[in-house]
Amino acid sequence: MRTQITRISLYQNAKMLGVIYLPIGIIYAFIGIAFLMMDIEYLKVTGYIFLLAPFWLSLMVVIAHYFVATIYNYLASKIGGFEFEFTEIKD
């Protein structure tokens, strides 16, 4: 059975990607807290950037997804999407 992906849901997939990348941002936030606790002047800016990582990392992933998915949806409507062939396996 052949199946073709002709459209990617923008909102649902972006929401899931934002949630998936949130723990990665939290790891960066802990590193940022460690940088701020070191009280070294040149690490303070990096510490604050890392501390805000859960927000900006998730936001950037969502924006990138909207951009890529919009391009994919346009191209899939014009030339067709990815095709997969599935084979049913009997238990």
Side-chain angles (χ1 to χ4, degrees):
M1 169 176 52
R2 290 182 116 179
T3 304
Q4 188 177 61
I5 300 173
T6 56
R7 186 178 177 284
I8 296 175
S9 170
L10 295 178
Y11 177 70
Q12 180 62 31
N13 292 334
K15 184 171 54 171
M16 283 303 300
L17 285 172
V19 169
I20 288 171
Y21 275 84
L22 188 64
I24 297 169
I26 291 172
I27 293 170
Y28 277 108
F30 284 130
I31 295 170
I33 290 170
F35 283 173
L36 291 173
M37 289 174 61
M38 286 182 197
D39 201 30
I40 301 173
E41 192 62 36
Y42 62 86
L43 285 179
K44 285 194 179 201
V45 174
T46 306
Y48 286 120
I49 291 171
F50 275 39
L51 192 60
L52 296 173
F55 172 74
W56 63 260
L57 184 64
S58 294
L59 182 66
M60 295 309 284
V61 166
V62 167
I63 290 170
H65 167 71
Y66 269 98
F67 179 71
V68 171
T70 301
I71 291 172
Y72 177 84
N73 288 341
Y74 173 74
L75 291 174
S77 71
K78 298 297 180 195
I79 60 175
F82 289 115
E83 285 190 8
F84 296 94
E85 190 167 321
F86 294 107
T87 305
E88 190 172 326
I89 299 173
K90 298 183 183 199
D91 292 330

